[in-house]
Amino acid sequence: MNKLRINKLGVLSIAKMYALVMLAISLIFAVPIGLIMMVSSASMMGSRDAGIGALGGGGIVGGLFITIFLPVLYGAMGFVFGAIGAFIYNLFAGIVGGVEIEVENIS
């Protein structure tokens, strides 16, 4: 078993990875919720209350907003907070020496 130490993280590479992870996770939740909102709103359009189908309960516009904007927002937030986290890690790794990991060659 070999011990390795992570002394520094690439801030930009961590930020990009975290942005993609957050984007993917938000797609898992945002797309189904947005589609449910749009379908339920469309099914209410023929009801007596015409305004309820278009805007009430989230509406088609709200469903599109969640389906498209929420993943983009989560990706952007992931990028920013990934960069901040990597920067803070690099500061503390300089003080305490980083994180030690143990690896094993299994080939």
Side-chain angles (χ1 to χ4, degrees):
M1 298 233 175
N2 297 326
K3 286 188 177 184
L4 301 173
R5 181 173 298 170
I6 301 173
N7 292 325
K8 187 175 181 182
L9 298 173
V11 174
L12 186 59
S13 66
I14 296 292
K16 290 188 291 188
M17 182 59 85
Y18 203 69
L20 287 175
V21 168
M22 292 299 291
L23 177 81
I25 289 172
S26 69
L27 284 173
I28 292 170
F29 296 103
V31 170
I33 290 170
L35 290 174
I36 289 169
M37 285 176 64
M38 288 187 281
V39 168
S40 66
S41 295
S43 68
M44 292 176 65
M45 285 218 178
S47 70
R48 289 185 342 204
D49 302 321
I52 291 177
L55 299 173
I60 295 173
V61 174
L64 280 172
F65 180 79
I66 286 176
T67 304
I68 296 169
F69 180 71
L70 201 61
V72 171
L73 177 65
Y74 269 56
M77 287 174 43
F79 184 87
V80 169
F81 288 112
I84 291 170
F87 178 76
I88 291 171
Y89 175 87
N90 289 339
L91 288 177
F92 288 128
I95 297 169
V96 295
V99 173
E100 287 186 12
I101 59 171
E102 195 171 295
V103 295
E104 179 181 358
N105 188 1
I106 58 172
S107 59

